[in-house]
Amino acid sequence: MLPAGFILALSVFCGAQTIAPAYKGPGDVVSLVAAVWFLVELSRLSARNQWRPLRSLPKPRWGVIGVTLICAALLAGVLGPHLLASRSNSPIASWGLGAAVTVLVAGCLFAANASYRRRAHRGW
């Protein structure tokens, strides 16, 4: 299962990409902080795996609900920034869309994680 910090870092990074390119100053700072946070969480995940390749982690068996939620998070995190970010957005709309993408991606990934946890617990 993915740690909560990793999910949050990934969500903030996706949301930071939605901030319009017209607002370079604060948007770049948020993007840089999110990228560094994501790399730190990835390093922590590798350290938890004794620095072996991450592909050596156990492969979970996801259910239909978990896969659907992960796909929704992937669509929101990858397509959302490209479709929503435009130079014509006002600063409030741009930051609001970034926050919405962050919440949507985090919500989907946390729900998928909970679905997997519930499914794995039922197996015991």
mmCIF file with all atom_site columns, all heavy atoms in Angstrom, residues 84-101:
data_model
loop_
_atom_site.group_PDB
_atom_site.id
_atom_site.type_symbol
_atom_site.label_atom_id
_atom_site.label_alt_id
_atom_site.label_comp_id
_atom_site.label_asym_id
_atom_site.label_entity_id
_atom_site.label_seq_id
_atom_site.pdbx_PDB_ins_code
_atom_site.Cartn_x
_atom_site.Cartn_y
_atom_site.Cartn_z
_atom_site.occupancy
_atom_site.B_iso_or_equiv
_atom_site.pdbx_formal_charge
_atom_site.auth_seq_id
_atom_site.auth_comp_id
_atom_site.auth_asym_id
_atom_site.auth_atom_id
_atom_site.pdbx_PDB_model_num
ATOM 1   N N   . LEU A 1 84  ? -7.342  22.313 -18.361 1.00 0.00 ? 84  LEU A N   1
ATOM 2   C CA  . LEU A 1 84  ? -7.850  23.395 -17.518 1.00 0.00 ? 84  LEU A CA  1
ATOM 3   C C   . LEU A 1 84  ? -6.959  24.629 -17.474 1.00 0.00 ? 84  LEU A C   1
ATOM 4   O O   . LEU A 1 84  ? -7.442  25.728 -17.255 1.00 0.00 ? 84  LEU A O   1
ATOM 5   C CB  . LEU A 1 84  ? -8.067  22.880 -16.089 1.00 0.00 ? 84  LEU A CB  1
ATOM 6   C CG  . LEU A 1 84  ? -9.096  21.762 -15.942 1.00 0.00 ? 84  LEU A CG  1
ATOM 7   C CD1 . LEU A 1 84  ? -9.105  21.259 -14.514 1.00 0.00 ? 84  LEU A CD1 1
ATOM 8   C CD2 . LEU A 1 84  ? -10.466 22.238 -16.346 1.00 0.00 ? 84  LEU A CD2 1
ATOM 9   N N   . ALA A 1 85  ? -5.655  24.456 -17.627 1.00 0.00 ? 85  ALA A N   1
ATOM 10  C CA  . ALA A 1 85  ? -4.740  25.589 -17.507 1.00 0.00 ? 85  ALA A CA  1
ATOM 11  C C   . ALA A 1 85  ? -4.739  26.413 -18.791 1.00 0.00 ? 85  ALA A C   1
ATOM 12  O O   . ALA A 1 85  ? -4.465  25.907 -19.866 1.00 0.00 ? 85  ALA A O   1
ATOM 13  C CB  . ALA A 1 85  ? -3.333  25.101 -17.211 1.00 0.00 ? 85  ALA A CB  1
ATOM 14  N N   . SER A 1 86  ? -5.086  27.677 -18.670 1.00 0.00 ? 86  SER A N   1
ATOM 15  C CA  . SER A 1 86  ? -4.995  28.575 -19.820 1.00 0.00 ? 86  SER A CA  1
ATOM 16  C C   . SER A 1 86  ? -4.599  29.953 -19.327 1.00 0.00 ? 86  SER A C   1
ATOM 17  O O   . SER A 1 86  ? -4.823  30.319 -18.178 1.00 0.00 ? 86  SER A O   1
ATOM 18  C CB  . SER A 1 86  ? -6.329  28.630 -20.574 1.00 0.00 ? 86  SER A CB  1
ATOM 19  O OG  . SER A 1 86  ? -7.282  29.317 -19.821 1.00 0.00 ? 86  SER A OG  1
ATOM 20  N N   . ARG A 1 87  ? -4.033  30.719 -20.213 1.00 0.00 ? 87  ARG A N   1
ATOM 21  C CA  . ARG A 1 87  ? -3.566  32.058 -19.838 1.00 0.00 ? 87  ARG A CA  1
ATOM 22  C C   . ARG A 1 87  ? -4.721  33.016 -19.564 1.00 0.00 ? 87  ARG A C   1
ATOM 23  O O   . ARG A 1 87  ? -4.544  34.035 -18.941 1.00 0.00 ? 87  ARG A O   1
ATOM 24  C CB  . ARG A 1 87  ? -2.673  32.615 -20.939 1.00 0.00 ? 87  ARG A CB  1
ATOM 25  C CG  . ARG A 1 87  ? -1.394  31.848 -21.076 1.00 0.00 ? 87  ARG A CG  1
ATOM 26  C CD  . ARG A 1 87  ? -0.457  32.531 -22.058 1.00 0.00 ? 87  ARG A CD  1
ATOM 27  N NE  . ARG A 1 87  ? 0.760   31.758 -22.248 1.00 0.00 ? 87  ARG A NE  1
ATOM 28  C CZ  . ARG A 1 87  ? 1.800   31.816 -21.444 1.00 0.00 ? 87  ARG A CZ  1
ATOM 29  N NH1 . ARG A 1 87  ? 1.775   32.586 -20.385 1.00 0.00 ? 87  ARG A NH1 1
ATOM 30  N NH2 . ARG A 1 87  ? 2.868   31.086 -21.689 1.00 0.00 ? 87  ARG A NH2 1
ATOM 31  N N   . SER A 1 88  ? -5.905  32.670 -19.999 1.00 0.00 ? 88  SER A N   1
ATOM 32  C CA  . SER A 1 88  ? -7.044  33.578 -19.826 1.00 0.00 ? 88  SER A CA  1
ATOM 33  C C   . SER A 1 88  ? -7.717  33.434 -18.457 1.00 0.00 ? 88  SER A C   1
ATOM 34  O O   . SER A 1 88  ? -8.579  34.236 -18.125 1.00 0.00 ? 88  SER A O   1
ATOM 35  C CB  . SER A 1 88  ? -8.072  33.335 -20.926 1.00 0.00 ? 88  SER A CB  1
ATOM 36  O OG  . SER A 1 88  ? -8.572  32.020 -20.829 1.00 0.00 ? 88  SER A OG  1
ATOM 37  N N   . ASN A 1 89  ? -7.338  32.430 -17.674 1.00 0.00 ? 89  ASN A N   1
ATOM 38  C CA  . ASN A 1 89  ? -7.941  32.255 -16.349 1.00 0.00 ? 89  ASN A CA  1
ATOM 39  C C   . ASN A 1 89  ? -7.483  33.359 -15.399 1.00 0.00 ? 89  ASN A C   1
ATOM 40  O O   . ASN A 1 89  ? -6.326  33.781 -15.433 1.00 0.00 ? 89  ASN A O   1
ATOM 41  C CB  . ASN A 1 89  ? -7.557  30.906 -15.748 1.00 0.00 ? 89  ASN A CB  1
ATOM 42  C CG  . ASN A 1 89  ? -8.220  29.750 -16.442 1.00 0.00 ? 89  ASN A CG  1
ATOM 43  O OD1 . ASN A 1 89  ? -9.133  29.931 -17.234 1.00 0.00 ? 89  ASN A OD1 1
ATOM 44  N ND2 . ASN A 1 89  ? -7.759  28.558 -16.160 1.00 0.00 ? 89  ASN A ND2 1
ATOM 45  N N   . SER A 1 90  ? -8.388  33.775 -14.536 1.00 0.00 ? 90  SER A N   1
ATOM 46  C CA  . SER A 1 90  ? -8.006  34.736 -13.502 1.00 0.00 ? 90  SER A CA  1
ATOM 47  C C   . SER A 1 90  ? -7.167  34.001 -12.452 1.00 0.00 ? 90  SER A C   1
ATOM 48  O O   . SER A 1 90  ? -7.181  32.771 -12.388 1.00 0.00 ? 90  SER A O   1
ATOM 49  C CB  . SER A 1 90  ? -9.256  35.327 -12.863 1.00 0.00 ? 90  SER A CB  1
ATOM 50  O OG  . SER A 1 90  ? -9.930  34.347 -12.099 1.00 0.00 ? 90  SER A OG  1
ATOM 51  N N   . PRO A 1 91  ? -6.442  34.749 -11.612 1.00 0.00 ? 91  PRO A N   1
ATOM 52  C CA  . PRO A 1 91  ? -5.631  34.079 -10.589 1.00 0.00 ? 91  PRO A CA  1
ATOM 53  C C   . PRO A 1 91  ? -6.465  33.209 -9.646  1.00 0.00 ? 91  PRO A C   1
ATOM 54  O O   . PRO A 1 91  ? -6.063  32.103 -9.303  1.00 0.00 ? 91  PRO A O   1
ATOM 55  C CB  . PRO A 1 91  ? -4.978  35.231 -9.830  1.00 0.00 ? 91  PRO A CB  1
ATOM 56  C CG  . PRO A 1 91  ? -5.037  36.395 -10.733 1.00 0.00 ? 91  PRO A CG  1
ATOM 57  C CD  . PRO A 1 91  ? -6.217  36.190 -11.625 1.00 0.00 ? 91  PRO A CD  1
ATOM 58  N N   . ILE A 1 92  ? -7.623  33.695 -9.248  1.00 0.00 ? 92  ILE A N   1
ATOM 59  C CA  . ILE A 1 92  ? -8.462  32.926 -8.315  1.00 0.00 ? 92  ILE A CA  1
ATOM 60  C C   . ILE A 1 92  ? -8.958  31.646 -8.996  1.00 0.00 ? 92  ILE A C   1
ATOM 61  O O   . ILE A 1 92  ? -8.936  30.566 -8.396  1.00 0.00 ? 92  ILE A O   1
ATOM 62  C CB  . ILE A 1 92  ? -9.639  33.781 -7.814  1.00 0.00 ? 92  ILE A CB  1
ATOM 63  C CG1 . ILE A 1 92  ? -9.095  34.914 -6.952  1.00 0.00 ? 92  ILE A CG1 1
ATOM 64  C CG2 . ILE A 1 92  ? -10.630 32.943 -7.046  1.00 0.00 ? 92  ILE A CG2 1
ATOM 65  C CD1 . ILE A 1 92  ? -10.129 35.919 -6.532  1.00 0.00 ? 92  ILE A CD1 1
ATOM 66  N N   . ALA A 1 93  ? -9.384  31.747 -10.254 1.00 0.00 ? 93  ALA A N   1
ATOM 67  C CA  . ALA A 1 93  ? -9.850  30.563 -10.972 1.00 0.00 ? 93  ALA A CA  1
ATOM 68  C C   . ALA A 1 93  ? -8.715  29.573 -11.187 1.00 0.00 ? 93  ALA A C   1
ATOM 69  O O   . ALA A 1 93  ? -8.906  28.354 -11.044 1.00 0.00 ? 93  ALA A O   1
ATOM 70  C CB  . ALA A 1 93  ? -10.453 30.969 -12.308 1.00 0.00 ? 93  ALA A CB  1
ATOM 71  N N   . SER A 1 94  ? -7.531  30.075 -11.505 1.00 0.00 ? 94  SER A N   1
ATOM 72  C CA  . SER A 1 94  ? -6.393  29.203 -11.743 1.00 0.00 ? 94  SER A CA  1
ATOM 73  C C   . SER A 1 94  ? -6.012  28.433 -10.482 1.00 0.00 ? 94  SER A C   1
ATOM 74  O O   . SER A 1 94  ? -5.823  27.214 -10.520 1.00 0.00 ? 94  SER A O   1
ATOM 75  C CB  . SER A 1 94  ? -5.212  30.045 -12.222 1.00 0.00 ? 94  SER A CB  1
ATOM 76  O OG  . SER A 1 94  ? -4.096  29.239 -12.452 1.00 0.00 ? 94  SER A OG  1
ATOM 77  N N   . TRP A 1 95  ? -5.903  29.132 -9.360  1.00 0.00 ? 95  TRP A N   1
ATOM 78  C CA  . TRP A 1 95  ? -5.555  28.468 -8.105  1.00 0.00 ? 95  TRP A CA  1
ATOM 79  C C   . TRP A 1 95  ? -6.691  27.565 -7.634  1.00 0.00 ? 95  TRP A C   1
ATOM 80  O O   . TRP A 1 95  ? -6.459  26.508 -7.048  1.00 0.00 ? 95  TRP A O   1
ATOM 81  C CB  . TRP A 1 95  ? -5.181  29.488 -7.041  1.00 0.00 ? 95  TRP A CB  1
ATOM 82  C CG  . TRP A 1 95  ? -3.838  30.094 -7.301  1.00 0.00 ? 95  TRP A CG  1
ATOM 83  C CD1 . TRP A 1 95  ? -3.581  31.222 -8.020  1.00 0.00 ? 95  TRP A CD1 1
ATOM 84  C CD2 . TRP A 1 95  ? -2.570  29.584 -6.890  1.00 0.00 ? 95  TRP A CD2 1
ATOM 85  N NE1 . TRP A 1 95  ? -2.230  31.445 -8.071  1.00 0.00 ? 95  TRP A NE1 1
ATOM 86  C CE2 . TRP A 1 95  ? -1.592  30.467 -7.377  1.00 0.00 ? 95  TRP A CE2 1
ATOM 87  C CE3 . TRP A 1 95  ? -2.176  28.484 -6.155  1.00 0.00 ? 95  TRP A CE3 1
ATOM 88  C CZ2 . TRP A 1 95  ? -0.243  30.266 -7.155  1.00 0.00 ? 95  TRP A CZ2 1
ATOM 89  C CZ3 . TRP A 1 95  ? -0.817  28.290 -5.923  1.00 0.00 ? 95  TRP A CZ3 1
ATOM 90  C CH2 . TRP A 1 95  ? 0.128   29.178 -6.429  1.00 0.00 ? 95  TRP A CH2 1
ATOM 91  N N   . GLY A 1 96  ? -7.934  27.959 -7.897  1.00 0.00 ? 96  GLY A N   1
ATOM 92  C CA  . GLY A 1 96  ? -9.074  27.116 -7.536  1.00 0.00 ? 96  GLY A CA  1
ATOM 93  C C   . GLY A 1 96  ? -9.096  25.815 -8.322  1.00 0.00 ? 96  GLY A C   1
ATOM 94  O O   . GLY A 1 96  ? -9.391  24.749 -7.777  1.00 0.00 ? 96  GLY A O   1
ATOM 95  N N   . LEU A 1 97  ? -8.791  25.895 -9.626  1.00 0.00 ? 97  LEU A N   1
ATOM 96  C CA  . LEU A 1 97  ? -8.717  24.682 -10.439 1.00 0.00 ? 97  LEU A CA  1
ATOM 97  C C   . LEU A 1 97  ? -7.570  23.786 -9.979  1.00 0.00 ? 97  LEU A C   1
ATOM 98  O O   . LEU A 1 97  ? -7.699  22.561 -9.959  1.00 0.00 ? 97  LEU A O   1
ATOM 99  C CB  . LEU A 1 97  ? -8.550  25.044 -11.914 1.00 0.00 ? 97  LEU A CB  1
ATOM 100 C CG  . LEU A 1 97  ? -9.770  25.658 -12.592 1.00 0.00 ? 97  LEU A CG  1
ATOM 101 C CD1 . LEU A 1 97  ? -9.398  26.157 -13.982 1.00 0.00 ? 97  LEU A CD1 1
ATOM 102 C CD2 . LEU A 1 97  ? -10.895 24.647 -12.666 1.00 0.00 ? 97  LEU A CD2 1
ATOM 103 N N   . GLY A 1 98  ? -6.460  24.396 -9.596  1.00 0.00 ? 98  GLY A N   1
ATOM 104 C CA  . GLY A 1 98  ? -5.337  23.611 -9.065  1.00 0.00 ? 98  GLY A CA  1
ATOM 105 C C   . GLY A 1 98  ? -5.715  22.885 -7.785  1.00 0.00 ? 98  GLY A C   1
ATOM 106 O O   . GLY A 1 98  ? -5.386  21.709 -7.603  1.00 0.00 ? 98  GLY A O   1
ATOM 107 N N   . ALA A 1 99  ? -6.429  23.573 -6.908  1.00 0.00 ? 99  ALA A N   1
ATOM 108 C CA  . ALA A 1 99  ? -6.881  22.946 -5.660  1.00 0.00 ? 99  ALA A CA  1
ATOM 109 C C   . ALA A 1 99  ? -7.896  21.840 -5.949  1.00 0.00 ? 99  ALA A C   1
ATOM 110 O O   . ALA A 1 99  ? -7.876  20.782 -5.305  1.00 0.00 ? 99  ALA A O   1
ATOM 111 C CB  . ALA A 1 99  ? -7.481  23.994 -4.737  1.00 0.00 ? 99  ALA A CB  1
ATOM 112 N N   . ALA A 1 100 ? -8.770  22.060 -6.923  1.00 0.00 ? 100 ALA A N   1
ATOM 113 C CA  . ALA A 1 100 ? -9.773  21.051 -7.264  1.00 0.00 ? 100 ALA A CA  1
ATOM 114 C C   . ALA A 1 100 ? -9.119  19.789 -7.819  1.00 0.00 ? 100 ALA A C   1
ATOM 115 O O   . ALA A 1 100 ? -9.512  18.670 -7.459  1.00 0.00 ? 100 ALA A O   1
ATOM 116 C CB  . ALA A 1 100 ? -10.767 21.624 -8.274  1.00 0.00 ? 100 ALA A CB  1
ATOM 117 N N   . VAL A 1 101 ? -8.127  19.946 -8.680  1.00 0.00 ? 101 VAL A N   1
ATOM 118 C CA  . VAL A 1 101 ? -7.419  18.784 -9.215  1.00 0.00 ? 101 VAL A CA  1
ATOM 119 C C   . VAL A 1 101 ? -6.685  18.049 -8.098  1.00 0.00 ? 101 VAL A C   1
ATOM 120 O O   . VAL A 1 101 ? -6.698  16.817 -8.023  1.00 0.00 ? 101 VAL A O   1
ATOM 121 C CB  . VAL A 1 101 ? -6.448  19.199 -10.349 1.00 0.00 ? 101 VAL A CB  1
ATOM 122 C CG1 . VAL A 1 101 ? -5.491  18.084 -10.704 1.00 0.00 ? 101 VAL A CG1 1
ATOM 123 C CG2 . VAL A 1 101 ? -7.223  19.622 -11.573 1.00 0.00 ? 101 VAL A CG2 1
#
